[in-house]
Amino acid sequence: MCLSVPRTSAVGVWRHRKPTLAALITLFLASAANSGPLGPDESAPATDDFPGLESWATHQHSDLWFRATTESETKTETPPTNGDLVHRMRSGFELPVVDHSRTVAQRNWYIRHPGYLERVFNRSRPYLHHIVAEIERRGMPLELALLPIVESAFDPFAYSHGRAAGLWQIIPGTGRRFGLDQNWWYDGRRDVIASTRAALDYLEFLANRYDGDYELAVAAYNSGEGTVDRAIRRNKAAGKPTTFWDLKLPRETSSYVPKLLALADIVANPARYEITLPEIADTEELGVVDTGGQIDLALAADLAGIDIETLYKLNPGFNQWATAPSGPHQLVVPVAAKTRFQEAVAELPDNQKMRWQRHKIRNGESLSEIAEQYGVTVSTLKQTNRISGSMIRAGQHLLVPTASAPKGSYALSAAARLSRQQNRERSGNRLEHRVVSGESLWTIAQRYSVSTRALASWNGMAPRDTLSVGRTLVVWTDAPVASRPGTSAMTRKVNYTVRTGDSLARIAARFRVRVADLARWNNLDVEKILRPGQKLTMFVDVTRQSS
């Protein structure tokens, strides 16, 4: 027999074991002891559109838990319609909502911002049915389907200052731990299908680690199991309880679990809080199609009969204009377009799935220069042309994968997103800094007297990201660009008129800028021939120019 206690007394026993009477008494006392005031930064979630992006720590089969509720609270409100995915989620809710002051504060914030809830639920439409179905298949509580709201506000391209990416905000190490590829072509942390699998694998791992206690599991998802383990050991050594509400955890984690509980309470009882949630059809939205190999995304969108922006939003893991050469060889399309796309891909010869260009190697050219010219990686050139070392000979030809549509057509590729981020108008003077060996975001930020986090944000990065030599960063400074004291790098805007025989590569080499940057500044396709008299704009570091 399972004893019931009031809903407000259930402090963290989300377990599959039935509690003893003594344990319930302990819970009741612990609840009273944990209702103290909040800290200054714990009063409510962040007020911007993506409060979950502050999460930066690590993000792995669980049984049913005991839900401590009274008989009258066992069922939530009956929804007005059937076939609604939100109603389906409610019917699978299993977690007690603890009316701790932290949960109340988070709930009050959501209640005061109904527009935010409407936006994130509308944004979840393409992804939520898949997530709900996966959680149900594993027998996990459906409250977890709300976790991407806390993490990323259901933005599949979200990237936090702690290097966490995607709907589930998974950091690089955890992504590798759970089998998510991360390379120039593809980042599995943003792949909706793959990242959902990895996130739920991690949550199941954590639930087992903490004996079915999902408060601790969710906390560890945010801060890492090491952080939670240390907090548990400290409390055990001091003879204190080890529920989530008793542990001393990072401030963000202390608010993280209450955010999820507050959301679940509102979704379970919207009428109680005078909230109207969008209705989401309880139908599958995603159709997964095997492409049989690498395919150009513009071509794929055309074959599926959808626009390329929709394709990118359903396949946010792909960074470039095509899927990754080594896979995954599958694309997600709207379920209504699945059959059409499947048939079209099956009829398409493999040699027509990608566009290839023959490049004749010139004297003095290196693989890195050719890769930069075409906007690919050296490893791509090596893999495509079966080159084991770095030696190439003048006169030989290389096959280079190129986009079938103008680069501007791939509006949600990593390069296009970065360009928009770097070219946003901000206050102050804009300059460009080219990274040299030994530099980091911190040293560059110090050089220009800006914060590391701001510098990272301007360039679509996280403060702990590493820099590659030759990368161009945008810096916004209040000091005049051409005379900033204490610096040797000075960037000037230069207007250039194309001469006969000029190419992007030749001009870039002359002014010591990158071909990719020159093309981006002038919205050019690197494959197009320049016309004499054509006007170009570039941003040149005057200290790097020879006489």
Side-chain angles (χ1 to χ4, degrees), residues 427-431 448-450 458 475-481 484:
S427 61
N429 297 305
R430 181 187 189 276
L431 63 85
Y448 295 105
S449 299
V450 298
W458 297 332
V475 184
W476 289 86
T477 174
D478 292 331
V481 170
R484 178 158 178 79

Side-chain angles (χ1 to χ4, degrees), residues 339-358:
T339 301
R340 169 181 171 163
F341 183 53
Q342 221 164 13
E343 293 173 351
V345 168
E347 294 173 1
L348 188 69
D350 287 344
N351 62 3
Q352 293 183 23
K353 292 177 181 176
M354 288 285 291
R355 177 182 172 187
W356 302 89
Q357 183 164 332
R358 283 168 60 84

